[in-house]
Amino acid sequence: MADFQIEDLRVSVEGREILKGISLGIDKGEVHAVMGPNGSGKSTLSHTLMGHPNYKVLGGRVLFKDRNLLEMPTEQRARLGVFLALQYPVVVPGITMSNFLRTALNAKRGYDGKDKSKAIAPKEFRALLKSEMGVLHMDDSFLSRYVNEGFSGGEKKRAEILQMAVLKPEIAILDETDSGLDIDSIKFVSEGVNRMRGPELGILLITHYTRILEFVRPDFVHVLVDGQFVLSGGPEVAAALEKTGYAEWVKEPQAAAQEA
Amino acid sequence: MGFTRDAVERLSALRDEPAWLKSRRLESFGVYERTPMPDTRRDADWRQVDLKGLDLESFEPFQQPDGAAPAPSIPESLGVLAQRGTGAATAASSAAELERRGVVFCPLWEAAVRHPELVERYLFSALRPDRDKFSALHSAFFSGGTFLYVPDGVSLERPLVGQFWSAGTGGSTLPHTLIVAGKGSRFEYLDEFLDDGAAVSYVALHRWGEQAWQFAGQRVRLNRDAQFQGVNVGLGGRFARLRMEALLEGEGSSARLRGLFFGTGRQSFDFRTLQDHLAPHTTSDLLYKGALRDLARSVYVGVVRVEKNARGTSANQANRNLLLSEKARAASEPILEIENNDILRCSHGATVGPVDPEHLFYLTSRGIPEPVAERMLVQGFLSEVLDQIPVAYARQVVEEELARRIG
């Protein structure tokens, strides 16, 4: 049994079955890439693992630290050590990045507004942010801005990685973190991710393109088509996909359903 | 009990008012007697308003000064206080400073005696007594209230403040604030209601107790290049109706109107706003935001009017309502009346709904507990207006009250 074990996961969205029995084991220290064309169920997988209310679990289990993640509310999954970097980070007006990050970090530290000793000290918090933001090439002005408001595509993705760096998850799901980014942003984001790689972190990297895999080298690659894994293997799978695309499994990728 | 002609005479005699004021009161009382209660079914201006349970006969027509203050006086460093309840309250040092600069800031009854040339000319020139029964009642029985005159070119650093409260159940409080701003003057004014070419910033803080009925009207007339910034904060009352009207009469004038409200229990708010563009190149920008919990409800009806010669108008109107319980209700009705098509910009929007589930998911996905996430989102939603309250003292009071209500 792997540290993070997905077993026969079946999920529907608005009454339509999208994931049709997914199994995948991730050990800490590993990077698993899940690749697939539009509509294959990539976002459904990432959102279901985090407990988004629009996704209905039809069957299966996700075991992490002897718990079934699927029975827990989103906030508890996060505090248990699971992190999702969203493909489309949400703009939240009225809440500053700094407030957002501090509240999230304090929640992870078990601070509930009462025992001040559990809250992070302002000085320590500032030092933590300064070093992480340096790696991601983000300046201080980010902290006083509202969450993702007015951020460019690249800034939003970097802000996601910053949150990951601050919260230090054990399992990180990166949902198309590379999509819509220029090459510089992909490099900054990859640097941020690579810095966190190590024996304490397992990564599920979901992507449409092979480009980010040049910077964040995966240990395993799984190809998701129509809600099922059609091929799993090592980095060589990505290299093959680079040449052939998804044509082997999808006849007309242009006509594929919208990303679910 | 009740509002009678005899009561008007007694009220007027109490302050030994000049004859012109007494006769205006009696004239308004005549209008009050002749005018029926608003027809909440047929009269568009009163649609959706629930007046059941309001018995005008049950109120004391006016209060004897002074009753204990329900809130501490504000520190002199934060603002200059004109009036507390129905008494004068300007500290001697501030009074001397204001007088030196030609500013008149005193209870309205006092101004009526000492500065009839200003008061007689402007009193009820903007808010007409014959508009409806409540306006007539107000004109006949207003007591307390503040008069502020700032001469041409005078800028005041500290905000000016009036504080009013009711003597408790059964009382009526009808304060009238009259502000005359000279050309090129600049100042901030705060009206706080408690219970338990000029650049003018005006903040009204409505914090009545939960049994109170409020019918408030504000009307601002803007001359050439005048700028007005007005914020209304609704936190109290069983029923609170507020009419805010900005008349952009002078070319280049602009009004920035903000509203913030938070209803709990069975509170009901009723906002009616008017952005009336009467001259070319005028600008108005309105944003009313509120949150409702429990069984609270709100009605917002906002009119943007662009008159024939108001070319180059820029008008924006938005009303956003956050419903925090399944039984809270908000209705929003934007109305555009445009008679000049040569406008720069005219936009309006209204939203009614719960906390955005995508926002909630995002915050909880970072480990933030759902109740904390909801509180942050409500605070964030309201902060857009809260941060724009120009008087620091008022901002602080509202912030504390909101924190208490958000929980």
Side-chain angles (χ1 to χ4, degrees), chain B residues 313-391:
Chain B
T313 283
S314 170
N316 184 39
Q317 180 206 67
N319 168 233
R320 318 238 169 257
N321 305 278
L322 198 54
L323 303 180
L324 301 175
S325 77
E326 280 181 15
K327 290 194 169 159
R329 290 278 176 277
S332 189
E333 192 184 338
I335 299 164
L336 300 180
E337 295 172 7
I338 298 175
E339 287 174 31
N340 186 324
N341 285 321
D342 181 17
I343 53 178
L344 208 59
R345 198 170 70 99
C346 187
S347 63
H348 65 99
T351 53
V352 177
V355 169
D356 188 328
E358 294 299 331
H359 290 172
L360 207 54
F361 173 71
Y362 193 49
L363 267 61
T364 54
S365 81
R366 301 306 183 236
I368 299 173
E370 193 168 314
V372 177
E374 195 184 281
R375 214 175 324 162
M376 288 172 76
L377 290 168
V378 176
Q379 267 164 0
F381 173 80
L382 297 175
S383 71
E384 188 181 357
V385 176
L386 180 66
D387 293 347
Q388 292 179 24
I389 296 178
V391 181

Side-chain angles (χ1 to χ4, degrees), chain B residues 239-308:
Chain B
F239 171 80
R241 176 178 167 94
L242 176 80
R243 201 204 309 265
M244 166 76 237
E245 298 174 333
L247 278 62
L248 299 138
E249 296 174 348
E251 189 166 342
S253 58
S254 71
R256 186 178 167 88
L257 310 171
R258 293 292 180 265
L260 179 65
F261 54 98
F262 198 116
T264 60
R266 289 180 175 274
Q267 279 188 320
S268 175
F269 295 107
D270 186 270
F271 299 102
R272 311 274 158 158
T273 65
L274 171 65
Q275 295 151 263
D276 202 356
H277 293 259
L278 297 145
H281 306 295
T282 47
T283 303
S284 69
D285 178 26
L286 178 144
L287 175 64
Y288 270 56
K289 271 186 144 180
L292 302 166
R293 115 168 332 152
D294 307 327
L295 296 165
R297 41 174 287 156
S298 72
V299 171
Y300 172 85
V301 180
V303 177
V304 174
R305 195 183 290 150
V306 180
E307 308 277 339
K308 274 210 180 68

Side-chain angles (χ1 to χ4, degrees), chain A residues 98-118:
Chain A
S98 155
N99 184 18
F100 179 48
L101 285 165
R102 193 177 45 244
T103 310
L105 181 57
N106 280 336
K108 179 147 195 221
R109 293 162 62 110
Y111 173 62
D112 59 358
K114 293 184 190 103
D115 182 1
K116 291 248 189 253
S117 69
K118 286 185 178 162

Side-chain angles (χ1 to χ4, degrees), chain A residues 121-229:
Chain A
K123 207 174 160 188
E124 193 187 339
F125 183 60
R126 271 195 305 272
L128 170 67
L129 290 181
K130 200 174 162 61
S131 84
E132 298 300 343
M133 288 171 76
V135 175
L136 291 161
H137 300 256
M138 299 170 84
D139 64 67
D140 281 358
S141 68
F142 272 93
L143 297 174
S144 53
R145 287 163 74 182
Y146 290 147
V147 174
N148 293 322
E149 192 173 77
F151 287 22
S152 70
E155 288 171 339
K156 282 182 186 172
K157 299 297 175 76
R158 276 185 265 170
E160 292 289 288
I161 302 304
L162 174 66
Q163 292 165 43
M164 177 177 159
V166 166
L167 294 173
K168 298 192 171 45
E170 292 165 57
I171 295 295
I173 304 151
L174 310 181
D175 189 359
E176 304 212 24
T177 297
D178 53 331
S179 67
L181 293 193
D182 57 45
I183 195 74
D184 280 343
S185 291
I186 290 187
K187 277 183 190 163
F188 296 151
V189 162
S190 301
E191 250 175 78
V193 173
N194 285 331
R195 214 168 85 103
M196 287 180 258
R197 273 182 88 158
E200 295 308 314
L201 176 66
I203 294 177
L204 181 60
L205 198 163
I206 295 173
T207 180
H208 185 103
Y209 304 102
T210 53
R211 200 170 47 164
I212 192 172
L213 304 181
E214 292 167 26
F215 301 100
V216 182
R217 294 276 175 191
D219 302 302
F220 303 93
V221 177
H222 313 269
V223 180
L224 183 68
V225 175
D226 193 23
Q228 286 177 310
F229 287 136

